[in-house]
Amino acid sequence: MRKLRLVCNRPAEDNHYGWENEALPIGNGKQGAVVFGGVEREHIQFNEKSLWTGGPSPKRPDYNGGNRLEKYPFLKAVQKSLAEGDSAAVETLVHELEGEQEGYGAYQSFGDIDIDFGSDSCEEYQRELDLENALVNIRYRSGGREFDRCYFASFPDKVIAGRYRVSTGGMDCVIRLRSAQGAEAECFAGLENTLCIRGQLADNALRYEALLCVYTNEGSIACEKTNLIIKDAQEICFLLTCGTDYAASYPDYRGEDPHEALAERLRGALRLGWDALCARHVEDYRALYGRLCLELGQAQDTSVPESTEALLEQYCRGEDTAAARYLELLLFQYGRYLSIASSRAEAGALPSNLQGVWNDSNNPAWGSDYHLNINLQMNYWPTTAGNLLECCLPLLDYVESLREPGRITAKAYLGIESTPEKPQNGFSAHTQNTIFGWTCPGWSFYWGWSPAAVPWILQNLWEYYDFTRDTAILRERIYPLMKEEVTLYEQLLIWDARSGRRVSSPSYSPEHGPVSVGNTYEQSLIYQLYADTIEAAAVLGVDADLAVQWRTTLAALKPIHIGTDGQIKEWYEESSLGSMPKSERRHRHISHLLGLYPGDMISSDTREWLEAAKVSLLDRGDENTGWSMGHKINAWARTGDGDYAHRLMRKMISSCILNNLWDSHPPFQIDGNFAYTAGVLELLLQSHLGRITLLPALPSAWPEGSLYGALARGGFTLSFRWEGGRVRYACVLAGRDGECRLELQHAENYSLHDAASGEALPLRREGDVLCFFLAQGRTAELWERRAAEKTF
Ligand code: FUC
């Protein structure tokens, strides 16, 4: 199998354009860096996830997550005006339901490493990101000598490491460490050949520190003021570590000064040395990445160009060649790589933000924050089926951390108060969040109001359970969050006599159209929350009495309505497509279709709704921002139309994917990468309808291939191979005892065996669904009768 790697034949331009389009990212969850690869001057820009302005600060003694208190009466007033149809009053009153702006802050750049080698002569330059080992390698020749560089970000040892080698003779260079926050670098007394930057952010006094240690074999190193000067070394290694005194603890969000821990970490990494560090890194990474392998037939062809830029150029010309398959595959696994690099489970972990962990600006777009009206949810779509469940855990930590500040927001804007008697009476958060418990609505109602953001992010957590079937984590961590949110909605939903529904009011569909009552976005997400929570209670055998009441509410939500053009209505008041004021037919959000994806309300089991969803999708059109196209790939996959989804993939790759394969909104926004990866999986394997469907929407451009190690709901791991669009062989590993319901075309043509004993397994067939029991740890093999050959 051809190695999956991003390849560039020149260094990235040493500016913001190069950072965004050409530099290659590495990361270990908390820390991230991009490598420019300049020959004369190497540049590495780096980040740490908790380096944020905003939040509590000596400057803001009254910081409270942006909430304006006592706004609840205005919610009631808006509800009354909506009921009376007084839109002028609604327009005025909704501004009372906005939050503050001061104290929001932004994710920051940490700093840069510059390495001056003094010579730019070079031939046969190649810079690659090896996805299989999470290494950036650079090679070139100069003056008859061979040079190589290697970089990685280690999760086990929490350092970013780089190594420079030359085949013969020595190298001279000067290494500088620059703070993006104004601190001066200095030689660090506690460790040899180490530069340090440390300081406090002017905005919020957050302490930060980075340590950069260098060692060589042969030659000399001197630390002079802010530089490390290296002479005549054949091999140079650096280790960088950085951190802050941030802690995810409400309300101060401060912990220990990072200094001791960073120095200790660096000493530990130095003791290990390059070879051990690198081996530990590769082992750790491969244990996650290597679980899932996708092959798409022709992608193995040797005619595929090496350079990623050339691949993209061919792709944009519309050539449907082996190179196209290779690029589609590369981008798929890149999404998994980026998940591992930007979201690792550990104490104090934060989830991946709008740019994952990478950011070269102190004023990035949208603060590079946590957006909850689609973006953060999207970041975690590929982690379930993509067999990276551990990478979901920072999201769980984060949602838990929204609870306490979110109760202030619930009280301030919704009038729902948690008290010592009712300590978990409901938390609320809206479109945008920070690491400092910023849960208030945005500072404009028209993008900032989105209480259904919480039900939506809880869907991700329910999915985590549904894929793992880990009832312990459901009981202890996920269900309490879901129950608290249902408790909130039990108090928040009001009866709308006009439509005969329980509704959320006001509701606003991201980020267009009118303020109304019970729009499809809100109602669908609340519906899904109730449906999932009722199921969770049943799984855990708890709250049966409450579930009776929840079922009554569920039945009264009635989220989906079909309009006169046969579309799913986005607003209850909508008649034909485009009939609503302030609505945009080509809007990037497809919020009324969340029941199709990522939800499961609209499916082939509800045909009429599914047909209506296609009308709505067609009306919205294809071309849009990166993440919007990524969302639509998944939505079309859910309709079963693999060719439509594949055409969208083509459009997305051709218009939104940069040379380093980052997705562009524009600017760079990582959610599109994750949506793309989720979309590829959704074309090949679905499991949201109580059965596992193999090849539910296979594009005709992918007639043959194999998927090894993908996950399905129910705790099953699936591997299968297809040819001529038909499954030839499949195997299912059960993570838990349970019934497996496996759907594939012409199910009658397949036989099923226990993989270990070879014995036929008892099987019931319901149309194209094969039903069989599988004990934990057992594997069932499925053969197409005509092709009894095994290739895994
Ligand atoms: C949502 C989108 C925008 C952008 C922002 C970060 O609000 O509507 O397009 O992606 O998030």
Side-chain angles (χ1 to χ4, degrees):
M1 159 123 184
R2 189 181 158 133
K3 273 180 77 174
L4 290 176
R5 38 188 211 137
L6 278 66
V7 177
C8 317
N9 294 329
R10 55 170 193 278
E13 270 184 42
D14 198 359
N15 51 31
H16 176 71
Y17 171 86
W19 179 88
E20 184 176 18
N21 288 265
E22 300 174 333
L24 295 174
I26 53 175
N28 61 13
K30 262 189 184 166
Q31 303 169 331
V34 302
V35 178
F36 286 73
V39 173
E40 183 175 12
R41 168 179 287 191
E42 174 62 292
H43 178 191
I44 295 124
Q45 184 274 331
F46 62 94
N47 292 99
E48 203 270 357
K49 271 234 197 88
S50 65
L51 192 73
W52 265 78
T53 54
S57 162
K59 274 193 195 165
R60 284 181 291 273
D62 299 330
Y63 174 83
N64 78 341
N67 291 297
R68 294 183 179 165
L69 302 179
E70 310 294 341
K71 289 293 180 185
Y72 170 58
F74 292 100
L75 181 93
K76 283 282 145 200
V78 172
Q79 289 179 345
K80 184 163 173 285
S81 301
L82 279 166
E84 290 165 356
D86 184 351
S87 45
V90 171
E91 299 253 329
T92 313
L93 285 166
V94 290
H95 294 299
E96 296 292 340
L97 300 180
E98 293 168 348
E100 299 290 346
Q101 184 164 6
E102 167 58 22
Y104 190 70
Y107 183 41
Q108 301 289 293
S109 175
F110 213 115
D112 302 82
I113 305 170
D114 296 320
I115 306 173
D116 284 316
F117 287 98
S119 161
D120 65 355
S121 107
C122 119
E123 297 151 30
E124 297 171 39
Y125 179 94
Q126 196 181 74
R127 185 167 54 104
E128 69 162 26
L129 171 58
D130 167 0
L131 293 190
E132 279 148 51
N133 298 297
L135 298 172
V136 166
N137 294 305
I138 298 172
R139 291 179 208 93
Y140 58 92
R141 297 170 62 81
S142 174
R145 302 194 296 166
E146 284 167 26
F147 291 81
D148 74 69
R149 303 178 186 174
C150 178
Y151 301 92
F152 60 88
S154 160
F155 174 71
D157 296 304
K158 313 278 180 268
V159 289
I160 291 171
R163 182 184 67 185
Y164 304 80
R165 290 191 305 194
V166 60
S167 54
T168 54
M171 287 177 286
D172 297 346
C173 67
V174 178
I175 302 185
R176 254 185 306 275
L177 181 63
R178 281 187 287 131
S179 165
Q181 304 302 329
E184 278 290 312
E186 56 189 19
C187 300
F188 175 57
L191 264 175
E192 256 191 336
N193 305 323
T194 301
L195 291 172
C196 169
I197 47 177
R198 59 189 308 200
Q200 285 179 269
L201 295 184
D203 176 74
N204 60 12
L206 187 79
R207 289 176 197 282
Y208 61 88
E209 178 163 337
L211 295 174
L212 175 77
C213 167
V214 176
Y215 62 93
T216 61
N217 79 339
E218 300 170 4
S220 66
I221 315 181
C223 195
E224 285 182 13
K225 291 185 187 154
T226 62
N227 299 340
L228 288 166
I229 298 165
I230 290 142
K231 294 223 181 297
D232 215 20
Q234 202 188 357
E235 186 174 314
I236 305 165
C237 295
F238 78 72
L239 303 174
L240 170 79
T241 192
C242 54
T244 73
D245 69 348
Y246 172 80
S249 53
Y250 174 84
D252 298 334
Y253 297 96
R254 292 294 185 282
E256 299 274 295
D257 185 299
H259 178 76
E260 285 305 323
L262 291 176
E264 198 40 50
R265 213 187 267 175
L266 207 52
R267 285 189 195 102
L270 273 169
R271 277 194 295 273
L272 285 167
W274 178 272
D275 288 345
L277 277 173
C278 188
R280 283 158 62 90
H281 157 68
V282 171
E283 189 187 348
D284 164 76
Y285 171 78
R286 288 178 72 107
L288 290 168
Y289 176 86
R291 289 174 186 164
L292 184 148
C293 175
L294 174 65
E295 291 187 28
L296 293 175
Q298 320 127 335
Q300 311 316 324
D301 199 309
T302 47
S303 67
V304 174
E306 291 237 302
S307 131
T308 311
E309 196 176 357
L311 281 170
L312 272 166
E313 274 166 16
Q314 275 195 19
Y315 202 86
C316 291
R317 286 198 298 269
E319 292 167 25
D320 205 31
T321 57
R325 295 296 84 78
Y326 179 77
L327 182 58
E328 288 163 357
L329 191 57
L330 188 64
L331 191 60
F332 166 75
Q333 287 289 24
Y334 191 47
R336 294 186 66 248
Y337 167 84
L338 293 171
S339 290
I340 301 168
S342 68
S343 188
R344 293 299 300 270
E346 63 183 308
L350 287 163
S352 62
N353 60 39
L354 281 176
Q355 296 182 164
V357 60
W358 302 278
N359 169 34
D360 71 335
S361 163
N362 291 333
N363 186 20
W366 290 284
S368 189
D369 66 7
Y370 296 103
H371 253 64
L372 263 72
N373 67 356
I374 188 159
N375 318 84
L376 184 60
Q377 288 86 349
M378 191 175 261
N379 279 10
Y380 286 86
W381 287 349
T383 44
T384 46
N387 207 340
L388 296 173
L389 286 165
E390 298 89 331
C391 297
C392 300
L393 293 172
L395 182 69
L396 174 55
D397 295 343
Y398 185 70
V399 177
E400 286 178 328
S401 82
L402 297 178
R403 251 176 144 179
E404 280 183 277
R407 289 183 190 133
I408 310 283
T409 303
K411 180 178 175 211
Y413 292 88
L414 309 176
I416 295 171
E417 186 175 1
S418 293
T419 59
E421 294 73 46
K422 288 184 184 172
Q424 300 182 2
N425 201 30
F427 66 107
S428 177
H430 291 264
T431 308
Q432 53 173 27
N433 291 216
T434 72
I435 65 169
F436 299 115
W438 186 280
T439 47
C440 68
W443 49 87
S444 161
F445 179 91
Y446 290 104
W447 51 258
W449 179 266
S450 202
V454 173
W456 194 358
I457 202 75
L458 292 176
Q459 222 183 89
N460 288 72
L461 303 184
W462 167 253
E463 293 281 345
Y464 173 86
Y465 160 74
D466 209 12
F467 275 84
T468 56
R469 295 287 166 96
D470 178 347
T471 45
I473 205 165
L474 180 67
R475 181 178 301 107
E476 281 148 34
R477 299 186 63 187
I478 300 172
Y479 180 70
L481 294 165
M482 297 169 82
K483 181 177 170 184
E484 180 164 1
E485 205 53 16
V486 169
T487 305
L488 178 132
Y489 274 100
E490 283 292 282
Q491 300 162 81
L492 187 61
L493 293 168
I494 56 173
W495 178 252
D496 179 46
R498 202 169 45 112
S499 62
R501 300 177 303 159
R502 291 278 303 271
V503 292
S504 73
S505 175
S507 66
Y508 188 65
S509 198
E511 296 174 26
H512 72 144
V515 180
S516 71
V517 165
N519 68 27
T520 310
Y521 167 73
E522 296 249 346
Q523 297 293 110
S524 303
L525 291 172
I526 300 165
Y527 185 97
Q528 195 85 43
L529 170 73
Y530 271 79
D532 295 344
T533 310
I534 292 166
E535 196 178 332
V539 166
L540 297 174
V542 297
D543 295 331
D545 46 343
L546 289 173
V548 173
Q549 175 54 35
W550 298 344
R551 269 193 211 94
T552 310
T553 310
L554 181 80
L557 286 167
K558 300 178 194 158
I560 305 292
H561 300 271
I562 296 183
T564 54
D565 285 322
Q567 83 279 20
I568 302 275
K569 294 204 267 180
E570 187 161 355
W571 301 273
Y572 185 77
E573 299 75 10
E574 178 180 330
S575 52
S576 59
L577 284 162
S579 60
M580 295 301 285
K582 299 185 187 166
S583 66
E584 291 169 42
R585 289 179 78 166
R586 301 268 153 174
H587 199 272
R588 59 193 178 283
H589 285 273
I590 50 169
S591 312
H592 49 325
L593 303 178
L594 300 184
L596 175 65
Y597 186 90
D600 55 23
M601 226 183 338
I602 303 173
S603 72
S604 50
D605 292 353
T606 53
R607 267 284 150 205
E608 197 196 353
W609 291 355
L610 186 67
E611 292 310 315
K614 287 190 211 166
V615 173
S616 294
L617 275 172
L618 287 170
D619 185 61
R620 268 306 207 263
D622 300 341
E623 283 84 357
N624 218 303
T625 61
W627 65 256
S628 171
M629 302 227 266
H631 190 181
K632 289 172 204 153
I633 293 170
N634 287 275
W636 278 105
R638 284 279 173 96
T639 70
D641 193 340
D643 282 338
Y644 200 110
H646 188 252
R647 279 199 296 281
L648 255 162
M649 284 173 61
R650 278 207 150 281
K651 289 180 185 175
M652 179 182 179
I653 294 176
S654 305
S655 59
C656 302
I657 297 299
L658 308 172
N659 277 344
N660 59 4
L661 300 190
W662 268 350
D663 161 75
S664 176
H665 180 280
F668 160 51
Q669 207 171 282
I670 204 162
D671 41 20
N673 284 101
F674 293 137
Y676 171 87
T677 295
V680 170
L681 288 163
E682 209 60 37
L683 291 168
L684 302 174
L685 176 69
Q686 293 178 13
S687 60
H688 57 292
L689 298 176
R691 54 187 182 269
I692 299 167
T693 309
L694 303 185
L695 304 182
L698 184 71
S700 46
W702 298 350
E704 54 194 51
S706 63
L707 178 63
Y708 171 86
L711 299 187
R713 291 167 186 81
F716 297 104
T717 307
L718 271 293
S719 300
F720 55 99
R721 180 170 63 83
W722 67 96
E723 276 170 28
R726 240 175 37 233
V727 173
R728 299 294 288 259
Y729 167 81
C731 72
V732 190
L733 166 67
R736 315 252 149 194
D737 287 356
E739 191 192 43
C740 180
R741 297 170 57 79
L742 193 64
E743 181 181 44
L744 73 177
Q745 281 180 14
H746 301 295
E748 70 280 5
N749 289 343
Y750 294 84
S751 61
L752 192 77
H753 302 275
D754 181 287
S757 67
E759 282 169 22
L761 282 169
L763 180 69
R764 201 175 74 248
R765 193 162 65 76
E766 295 173 6
D768 272 341
V769 183
L770 304 174
C771 313
F772 51 95
F773 177 82
L774 213 52
Q776 182 174 355
R778 306 298 293 188
T779 300
E781 283 188 329
L782 192 78
W783 300 91
E784 195 188 22
R785 288 190 216 280
R786 280 173 289 170
E789 69 193 87
K790 182 170 174 176
T791 53
F792 283 114

